[in-house]
Amino acid sequence: MISMFQEPNFLWVFAGSALLAISASRVGVFVFLQNKSLSGDVISHSLLPGMVIGYLLSGEKNFWLLFMGGFITGYFAQILTEKIIKISFLKADVAMAVVLTMFYGLGVVLLTVAEKLPYGNQAGLSAFLLGKAAALTNLDVGMYAVLTALILAFVKWSEKALITVSFDSTYAKAIGLPVGRINTLLTSLLTGAVVMGVQAVGVVLISALIILPALGSRLISASIRQMTSYAMAISLLMSAGGTVISYIYPKMPTGPIIVVVGGMLLIVLYLFRKKTNEKYE
C-alpha cells in the first residue's frame, strides 16, 4: 500500500482524479439544487464532436484545443436545449434526449472518421468514451489544477447569488439579481467541469461525478454549507477508492471504478440515513 504512493504514475492519476472530483462536486451541488441533473448528461455527450473537431483541426491531442472544442459544443447543446423547451411543445426531458442523442451521434461519426486518418487510431481518441485516467501525466494534472482553481474561484465569487437562485429564482428576480447571467455562469462552470473530466472518466460516465456526490450529501446534510462540504468529501472518497482499486487490480479501468465506488457510497449513505431517521422517530 505504501509503495503505490512512491510511484509517479499513481500519484498523477490520484492527484488528477482528486482535482476533477473537487471541481465536479462543487458545481454539482448547485446543478442538483436547481433540478438540472440531466444537464450534465446533455453536456457530456454533446462535447464529443467538439473535442474530435479540435483534434481534426490540430492533428494532435492538444489539451486546450480539445477543451475549447468540447466546451463550445457542450455549451451550445445546453443553450439549444433551453431554446427548444421555450419555443416548442416538448418537455424538458424529451428536449434533452433529442439534443443529447443528436450531438453524441455526430461525435461518434466524427470519431470514426478521425480514427481512420493516419495516426488517428494511435491518438487514443476512443478513450473519450469511457476515459483513461491511467494515462494522466504531470502536464494534465497541472492543467487540471489551473481549471479547478478557476472553477472554485468563480463559485466562491458568486456563491450567494447561486444559492439564492437555486432555492428561489422568483425571489432572486424580485431583489434584482441577474438570474439569466447567473444561470449562464452555472452552465459555463458545469461545462468546464465536464470537459475537464472526459480524459479521466469519459463522456459516458462524467455526469456521475457531478450528481452522485451532490445526491449523497443531500441525504445527510442539514444546510447548504454541509451539503457542499459533504459532496466534496464524497467525491474525494470516490476518486481515492477508484484509483487505489485500479492500482491493485491493473486490468480494471479507473474511471468506471470511481463511479462504482460512488454508487456504493450512495447506498451506504441511504441506509445510514434510514437508520438515523428510524432512531429519532
Side-chain angles (χ1 to χ4, degrees), residues 158-264:
S158 58
E159 188 170 24
K160 290 183 178 180
L162 285 170
I163 292 173
T164 304
V165 172
S166 297
F167 281 104
D168 194 337
S169 59
T170 303
Y171 171 73
K173 286 182 180 179
I175 62 176
L177 288 177
V179 175
R181 293 181 182 179
I182 294 170
N183 286 330
T184 298
L185 173 63
L186 180 59
T187 300
S188 300
L189 293 173
L190 174 60
T191 305
V194 168
V195 180
M196 174 180 162
V198 168
Q199 183 174 348
V201 185
V203 300
V204 179
L205 299 173
I206 180 60
S207 59
L209 273 179
I210 302 289
I211 300 306
L212 288 181
L215 178 56
S217 65
R218 182 67 184 88
L219 293 173
I220 57 175
S221 59
S223 67
I224 183 65
R225 296 195 180 280
Q226 280 188 0
M227 186 175 176
T228 299
S229 300
Y230 291 157
M232 294 177 71
I234 292 170
S235 67
L236 287 173
L237 285 174
M238 288 172 59
S239 63
T243 304
V244 171
I245 291 173
S246 63
Y247 176 86
I248 297 174
Y249 302 99
K251 292 184 179 181
M252 302 183 73
T254 306
I257 292 299
I258 289 175
V259 176
V260 171
V261 171
M264 294 175 66

Side-chain angles (χ1 to χ4, degrees), residues 72-85:
I72 291 171
T73 54
Y75 185 87
F76 177 72
Q78 180 62 17
I79 299 302
L80 179 61
T81 302
E82 294 174 359
K83 292 294 183 183
I84 291 175
I85 294 171

